[in-house]
Amino acid sequence: VQLQASGGGLVQPGGSLRLSCAASGFTLANGAIGWFRQAPGKEREWVSCISGDGRSTVYASSVRDRFTISRDNAKRTVALQMNSLKNEDTAVYYCAARRYISCSGQSDGYHYWGRGTEVTVSS
C-alpha cells in the first residue's frame, strides 16, 4: 500500500489550497482515509476523515467550515480542500488509510501512512 500526499505550497492568509492523496495497492471503498498535520515543534494532529463509503465526513473543530474532504474511488484519490487558511494551518499534512470503513480521529487507528506535503501560510 502506498499513499502519496501532494498539493502543498506557500499561500497567503485567507487563501486556498487543495491537497490530494493518491492511493495504490489499497481499495478506497474498503477503508476510511484521514488527514493529519504536524506543525514544527508540535504533536501530530488529526484534521479530517472520510469513511470508506463516502457517507460520513468528520472534521477537527479547528478546521470545520473551512476544510472539505472528498473522495473519488475510481481515481483512487482523496482531496482536502482548504479555504480561508490561517497562519496556524502551517504544517506538514499527511494522509492515512485504515482497514475499516468507519472513521477514526486517532493516529493509531490508521494502518497505512503516506509521505507528507508541506503547507505554509504566510504573508
Side-chain angles (χ1 to χ4, degrees), residues 30-80:
N30 292 341
I33 300 293
W35 283 95
F36 291 78
R37 66 186 181 186
Q38 188 166 18
K42 295 187 176 181
E43 293 186 353
R44 185 165 53 192
E45 172 190 23
W46 171 76
V47 174
S48 181
C49 177
I50 185 166
S51 61
D53 57 11
R55 294 179 179 180
S56 176
T57 57
V58 285
Y59 300 92
S61 58
S62 58
V63 306
R64 191 174 297 128
D65 298 328
R66 299 188 298 122
F67 290 11
T68 303
I69 191 170
S70 61
R71 65 192 302 149
D72 185 331
N73 287 351
K75 295 183 178 180
R76 299 182 179 181
T77 59
V78 172
L80 184 69

